[in-house]
mmCIF file of all heavy atoms in Angstrom:
data_model
loop_
_atom_site.group_PDB
_atom_site.id
_atom_site.type_symbol
_atom_site.label_atom_id
_atom_site.label_comp_id
_atom_site.label_asym_id
_atom_site.label_seq_id
_atom_site.Cartn_x
_atom_site.Cartn_y
_atom_site.Cartn_z
ATOM 1 N N ILE A 35 -5.824 17.720 -18.321
ATOM 2 C CA ILE A 35 -5.801 16.256 -18.435
ATOM 3 C C ILE A 35 -4.888 15.718 -17.423
ATOM 4 O O ILE A 35 -5.166 14.703 -16.746
ATOM 5 C CB ILE A 35 -5.315 15.882 -19.898
ATOM 6 C CG1 ILE A 35 -6.406 16.152 -20.886
ATOM 7 C CG2 ILE A 35 -4.908 14.390 -19.921
ATOM 8 C CD1 ILE A 35 -6.022 16.119 -22.309
ATOM 9 N N PRO A 52 3.114 0.913 -4.474
ATOM 10 C CA PRO A 52 3.903 1.854 -5.287
ATOM 11 C C PRO A 52 4.328 1.341 -6.560
ATOM 12 O O PRO A 52 4.450 2.080 -7.546
ATOM 13 C CB PRO A 52 5.085 2.264 -4.387
ATOM 14 C CG PRO A 52 4.651 1.951 -2.944
ATOM 15 C CD PRO A 52 3.730 0.765 -3.128
ATOM 16 N N LEU A 134 -0.658 8.542 -37.822
ATOM 17 C CA LEU A 134 -0.612 7.185 -37.479
ATOM 18 C C LEU A 134 -2.049 6.837 -36.865
ATOM 19 O O LEU A 134 -2.658 7.648 -36.267
ATOM 20 C CB LEU A 134 0.412 6.813 -36.430
ATOM 21 C CG LEU A 134 1.906 6.897 -36.898
ATOM 22 C CD1 LEU A 134 2.808 6.713 -35.681
ATOM 23 C CD2 LEU A 134 2.161 5.840 -37.992
#
Side-chain angles (χ1 to χ4, degrees):
I35 290 168
L134 291 172

